[in-house]
Each structure stands twice: as C-alpha cells, then as structure tokens.
C-alpha cells in the first residue's frame, strides 16, 4: 500500500519536475545561443571565462537531454547536443551556434510541449525602444501596421492596435512569432535577441491595443481574490484576452490589460542575489544527500535565475567582481561534476556567498543617500587635506631650517597652483570626460599610481636635500 502511495505521488509530481527541468534546459540552450558571441569571434576565444562557461553549459545540456523522457524528438536532440559541444570545441562562428540552438529550442518546445514563460520581469521601456528600432519600419511607430515599408506588403504587417486581433492573441503566441518568425512572409525570426529582449517586446506589442481606462480599472482589481489565478505568469501568458473575459468576466479583461502593460505585479520582489543565496544552500543539501544531478541543476539555477539577472548592473560598478563570481559559479559546477568532498563544496559555497554579499553592497553603494554621500566625501577631503597640509608644513620647516626663508613664496605659488589644478581637474571630470563603470576604476587606479609616484619623488627629493644640507 505504502508503495502504491509513493508511485502515485511520483506520478503527480513528476510532470512538475519535468516541466521545471525543461525550462532550465531551454534557458541553457537560449543562453548559449545568445552569449556564445561573447566567448568566440572569428575562430578564436576572446573571453576565456565565458568560453569555459559555454563548454560547461554545453556539457550540462548534453546531460539534461540524456535524462529527458523518451519522445520522438529525443534522438535528434541528443545528436544536436553533441553537435553543439562539437561546434563550441571547434570555436565555430556564433551565427552557426545560434542557428543550432534555435533549432534545439524548437525541438524541445515541440517535442515536449513546453510553455515558455519569462524568467525575468519584462522591461516595457526596453521593449518600446527595441520596437522603434527594429519593428516600427513595418508595424508602424504607433503599432498601427502602417510603417514606411508596409506599403504593398503581402501579407501586410499586423496592426497591434486592432482590438479584435488583440483579443485573440496570447502573449506566448506573440513571443513565438517574434522568436521564430512567420515563414514566407516579411516577418523574420528574431531569435538572435536575448529571451529577455523578446519578452520585453512581446509585452510591449501585446498591450498596444489596450486603453488607459481599461488598464486603470485593471489596476484596482489586482488584489481581487476571484482573479488571483490570472496573476500567475504561467496562466497569463497562455490565455487570450477573450478567454480572460469569458472565464473571469469584464474584470478579467481589464486586469489582463493592466498586467500586460505592468508585468512588475507578476514577479516576486525577492532580489536575484537573495535567490542565488537560497539556491546555493539547496545545492549543498542536495549534494550532501548524494544527489549530484539535482545539485548541478540547482547550481545552474542559482546562476541563471539569480546572479545572471543583475550581472549587467554589477558590471557597471565592479566588472572585476562580476567576473570573479561568474568564474566561482563555473568552478562550483565543475566541482559538483568532479564529485569533490562535501567539505570542499561547502567552502566554495561559503566563498561565493561572501562574494555575493560584496556584490550586493556594491550595487547598493551605487545609490548612496545624500547624507551618506556628503559624509563620505567630507571625510575624504579632510583626510587628504590634512595630508597635503603636512607635506606643505614639512616643506616650509625644511626651508626655514636650511635658511631659505626667501624661497617660501615658491611654496605659496605651489599650493595655490595645486588648488587651481584641482579646480581644473574637477571641471574636466564633470564636463569633458564621462567617467562610469570600468572607466571609474581605471581612473582611480591611474590617479592612485600617479599620486604614489609624486609622493615617492617628493620623499626622495626631501631626503636627498636634507642629507646634502647636513
Ligand atoms: C519587414 C517587415 C517586418 C518587420 C521589420 C517586423 N515585422 Fe512583425 N510582421 C510582419 C508581417 C508581414 C507580419 C504578418 C505575418 C502573417 O501574416 O502571418 C508580422 C507579424 C508579426 C507578429 C504576429 C502578430 C499576430 O497577431 O499574429 C508579431 C508578434 C510581430 N510581427 C512582431 C514583430 C516585432 C516585435 C518586430 C521587431 C522585432 C517585427 N515584428 C518586425 C512584418 C514585419
């Protein structure tokens, strides 16, 4: 009897776990397709860490494909995953890798009937920008289908403002069209854009037909318990606005209009870094239990569903740290694969979590409060000012002691000149050169080296002169 329950339980949960695995497999495939271009160009590795990651993920893909349940497409997928590893090993052109990964994506989606959902909150502002750059020429700047290239086009570009058509389209369907294109029409595939970009455009074009009053009405319904299942991203992306109306009434239609324009309400507020930390804990638990395969998948999740989402933001403030964490995560996956001891894995995880803490400080540091920024600048100035005062006082004492009192005016010219030079540097830094991200680190580094050189020079000079004077 007990065994029967276990079997029943497994039957119930196995489709769920399978759906999760398939989502991750799709993510890995998408990730390799889009990011491979950052690892290899013209047959040569241009970023070793990125390349290592690609090799690791290709291996992960092969493993996950091997573990898929049997289906008509599995054999092709196995061949394709081997081909993918081969292309990466041969440092093939990014376009070839991308073409293969998009065939693989299709094979997974078709073969296993996966519904893809966005894993990161779609960014409508970014969607709008990409749309105006890449789509408006056909679909029109306002989405009315009357772009400059649309004249005489057969079939014509879709008018996204047409409410009738809007009612019949799921977000998932729009996403698929953007990803795959429509054969034998002017609508080509945009699979080379990242999944996040494609989803951002999907939500953007998917809300062009809604009116302000509809969306405003929808916002008021967010907390309505009758509509709660509609705020589930899985559901929202696969039903049409017409279905939302027939299932939930006019309120359902209004809420869908609101959510398509404001997807933030669909995504948890848990920070991506927090997510990574929790997943890393889960990795350790699974590894301790001897479930290496699960530990590996959780480690991939800790990276792709957490850290990777803030990678660009972190890159702007501390690109070195970003690379360090990325490499540490690759290292962790390799350790799991090699089957290191639990203690060793644990110490790597503690190390990564420490680095994630630094990352979150760095990201928060970007937005110092006014008072904190004032205090930090104030103390730096006081400290540096004191240092400068000491140097000037030492020089003055030296002149007096060596009976060069008449040369003191040179000293005055010096410090007044330094003030003027400081002012000019400030002017240049705010108006002439843009200092941001990695640029800031480089500027800091060069300035620190220059300052050391000047200090050494002054130190030696003083030493030399004091010796000479004696
Ligand atoms: C060269 C012209 C052209 C460009 C550029 C273009 N499209 Fe299209 N698009 C079309 C045509 C034509 C169709 C209609 C295809 C058909 O009839 O099945 C279409 C259909 C679509 C559909 C299907 C809509 C539906 O209701 O079925 C979506 C979604 C779409 N395009 C989005 C985009 C996005 C997003 C971009 C920019 C990244 C874009 N298109 C760029 C011509 C274009």
């Amino acid at each position: 009897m007990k065994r029967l329950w276990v079997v029943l339980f497994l039957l119930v949960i196995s489709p769920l776990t399978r759906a999760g695995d398939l989502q991750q497999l799709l993510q890995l495939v998408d990730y390799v397709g889009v990011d491979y271009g950052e690892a290899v160009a013209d047959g040569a590795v241009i970023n070793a860490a990125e390349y290592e990651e690609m090799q690791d993920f290709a291996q992960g893909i092969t493993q996950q494909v091997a573990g898929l349940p049997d289906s008509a497409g599995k054999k092709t997928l196995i061949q394709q995953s081997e081909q993918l590893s081969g292309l990466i090993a041969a440092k093939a052109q990014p376009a070839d890798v991308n073409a293969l990964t998009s065939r693989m994506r299709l094979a997974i989606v078709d073969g296993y009937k996966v519904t893809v959902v966005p894993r990161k909150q779609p960014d409508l502002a970014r969607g709008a920008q990409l749309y105006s750059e890449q789509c408006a020429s056909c679909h029109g700047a306002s989405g009315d289908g009357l772009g400059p290239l649309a004249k005489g086009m057969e079939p014509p570009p879709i008018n996204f403002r047409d409410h009738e058509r809007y009612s019949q389209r799921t977000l998932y369907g729009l996403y698929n069209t953007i990803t795959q294109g429509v054969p034998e029409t002017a609508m080509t595939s945009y699979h080379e854009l990242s999944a996040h970009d494609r989803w951002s455009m999907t939500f953007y074009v998917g809300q062009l037909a809604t009116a302000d009053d509809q969306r405003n009405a929808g916002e008021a319904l967010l907390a309505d318990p009758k509509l709660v299942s509609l705020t589930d991203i899985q559901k929202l992306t696969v039903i049409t606005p017409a279905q939302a109306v027939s299932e939930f009434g006019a309120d359902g239609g209004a809420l869908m209009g609101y959510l398509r324009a404001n997807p933030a309400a669909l995504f948890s507020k848990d920070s991506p870094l927090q997510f990574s930390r929790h997943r890393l804990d889960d990795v350790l638990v699974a590894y301790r239990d001897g479930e290496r395969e699960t530990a590996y998948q959780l480690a991939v999740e800790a990276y792709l569903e957490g850290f990777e989402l803030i990678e660009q933001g972190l890159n702007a403030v501390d690109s070195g740290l970003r690379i360090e964490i990325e490499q540490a995560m690759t290292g962790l996956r390799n350790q799991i694969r090699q089957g290191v001891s639990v203690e060793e894995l644990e110490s790597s995880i503690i190390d990564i979590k420490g680095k994630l803490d630094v990352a979150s400080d760095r990201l928060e540091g970007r937005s110092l409060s006014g008072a904190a920024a004032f205090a930090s600048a104030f103390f730096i100035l006081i400290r540096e000012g004191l240092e400068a005062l000491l140097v000037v006082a030492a020089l003055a004492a030296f002149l007096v002691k060596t009976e060069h009192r008449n040369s003191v005016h040179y000293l005055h010219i010096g410090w007044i000149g330094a003030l003027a030079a400081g002012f000019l540097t400030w002017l240049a830094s705010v108006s002439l050169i843009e200092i941001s991200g990695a640029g800031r680190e480089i500027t800091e580094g060069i300035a620190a080296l220059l300052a050391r050189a000047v200090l050494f020079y002054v130190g030696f000079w003083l030493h030399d002169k004091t010796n000479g004077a004696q």
Side-chain angles (χ1 to χ4, degrees):
M1 187 64 194
K2 208 170 182 184
R3 190 175 289 166
L4 180 67
W5 278 117
V6 172
V7 170
L8 277 179
F9 179 70
L10 282 179
L11 276 180
V12 175
I13 68 155
S14 65
L16 292 176
T17 47
R18 230 169 55 203
D21 293 353
L22 285 166
Q23 290 285 352
Q24 185 176 81
L25 180 58
L26 274 173
Q27 266 176 29
L28 282 174
V29 167
D30 254 334
Y31 189 82
V32 171
V34 175
D35 270 38
Y36 177 77
E38 285 174 29
V40 173
D42 297 326
V45 174
I46 50 171
N47 182 333
E50 203 77 38
Y51 184 65
E52 197 188 337
E53 195 176 271
M54 291 298 126
Q55 288 177 307
D56 174 48
F57 281 158
Q59 219 176 327
I61 290 170
T62 308
Q63 254 172 24
Q64 296 203 7
V65 165
L68 286 178
D70 282 333
S71 90
K74 182 168 168 181
K75 226 171 111 197
T76 323
L77 267 171
I78 292 179
Q79 281 167 358
Q80 286 172 328
S81 63
E82 279 161 9
Q83 201 183 341
L84 182 67
S85 297
L87 283 182
I88 293 175
K91 307 186 188 73
Q93 292 295 341
D96 295 338
V97 171
N98 190 288
L100 177 61
T101 53
S102 49
R103 285 201 302 277
M104 292 179 75
R105 183 192 318 106
L106 258 183
I108 299 165
V109 170
D110 286 353
Y112 292 91
K113 307 281 168 269
V114 198
T115 308
V116 193
V117 293
R119 62 193 176 97
K120 182 174 170 182
Q121 184 183 314
D123 177 349
L124 265 84
R126 176 154 181 84
Q129 190 202 339
L130 287 168
Y131 177 87
S132 73
E133 290 164 10
Q134 312 212 16
C135 325
S137 53
C138 289
H139 290 282
S142 71
D144 57 10
L146 300 175
L149 295 184
K151 263 188 219 94
M153 195 176 274
E154 199 43 55
I158 302 301
N159 169 7
F160 294 119
R161 297 198 160 265
D162 174 357
H163 203 272
E164 194 48 42
R165 194 170 177 104
Y166 158 85
S167 318
Q168 303 301 332
R169 285 286 175 277
T170 66
L171 288 171
Y172 180 60
L174 298 174
Y175 175 78
N176 272 343
T177 303
I178 297 172
T179 306
Q180 292 160 21
V182 185
E184 282 155 43
T185 72
M187 181 65 201
T188 51
S189 147
Y190 286 86
H191 65 254
E192 73 284 355
L193 295 178
S194 71
H196 175 60
D197 284 347
R198 280 179 269 131
W199 274 116
S200 298
M201 287 194 297
T202 300
F203 275 71
Y204 177 73
V205 300
Q207 52 89 50
L208 285 173
T210 58
D212 281 347
D213 52 345
Q214 183 194 5
R215 292 199 293 261
N216 291 342
E219 185 174 10
L221 297 163
L222 258 182
D224 190 330
K226 288 193 296 295
L227 301 176
V228 74
S229 68
L230 199 55
T231 59
D232 175 2
I233 184 91
Q234 292 275 358
K235 174 118 185 163
L236 187 88
T237 44
V238 296
I239 68 171
T240 64
Q243 282 168 323
V245 171
S246 70
E247 195 172 325
F248 300 97
D251 282 357
L255 181 59
M256 177 172 266
Y258 174 76
L259 288 172
R260 283 182 169 206
N262 301 281
L266 297 161
F267 287 82
S268 108
K269 297 287 173 286
D270 225 15
S271 85
L273 287 177
Q274 196 55 24
F275 180 90
S276 284
R277 284 193 200 99
H278 291 323
R279 276 296 165 276
L280 288 172
D281 290 339
D282 298 343
V283 168
L284 192 60
V285 172
Y287 197 74
R288 227 179 239 139
D289 292 346
E291 293 174 19
R292 249 205 250 170
E293 192 62 29
T294 313
Y296 182 85
Q297 287 184 9
L298 288 166
V300 172
E301 229 175 80
Y303 176 62
L304 284 186
E305 309 241 334
F307 180 70
E308 208 255 320
L309 306 182
I310 55 101
E311 223 176 39
Q312 272 175 5
L314 182 62
N315 214 18
V317 283
D318 192 339
S319 58
L321 183 62
R322 192 218 86 201
I323 295 169
E324 243 180 72
I325 297 181
E326 212 176 84
Q327 284 176 339
M329 294 259 194
T330 310
L332 182 74
R333 293 191 300 269
N334 282 333
Q335 283 183 319
I336 296 174
R337 194 168 278 146
Q338 289 153 9
V340 297
S341 70
V342 173
E343 291 70 35
E344 222 172 302
L345 199 79
E346 181 164 22
S347 87
S348 301
I349 287 179
I350 293 173
D351 177 55
I352 297 179
K353 281 164 83 179
K355 289 194 170 88
L356 291 177
D357 289 344
V358 180
S360 94
D361 286 348
R362 297 296 256 148
L363 287 170
E364 275 159 25
R366 234 183 351 179
S367 47
L368 279 184
S369 72
F374 177 80
S376 111
F378 181 77
F379 284 114
I380 291 177
L381 282 180
I382 290 272
R383 196 187 67 202
E384 301 296 321
L386 273 177
E387 249 175 58
L389 199 68
L390 279 176
V391 172
V392 173
L395 285 172
F398 170 76
L399 288 175
V400 173
K401 199 174 149 216
T402 53
E403 287 162 14
H404 282 96
R405 205 176 269 274
N406 51 354
S407 307
V408 169
H409 65 278
Y410 289 116
L411 190 61
H412 291 313
I413 294 176
W415 70 259
I416 293 172
L419 275 188
F423 179 73
L424 287 180
T425 315
W426 171 75
L427 259 188
S429 73
V430 294
S431 56
L432 296 183
I433 37 180
E434 188 152 311
I435 305 179
S436 67
R440 174 163 43 218
E441 308 285 322
I442 293 170
T443 321
E444 271 178 27
I446 294 176
L449 283 175
L450 270 178
R452 291 300 169 270
V454 170
L455 270 180
F456 269 123
Y457 174 74
V458 173
F460 281 119
W461 183 84
L462 270 179
H463 186 70
D464 197 39
K465 296 287 176 233
T466 336
N467 282 346
Q470 274 166 2

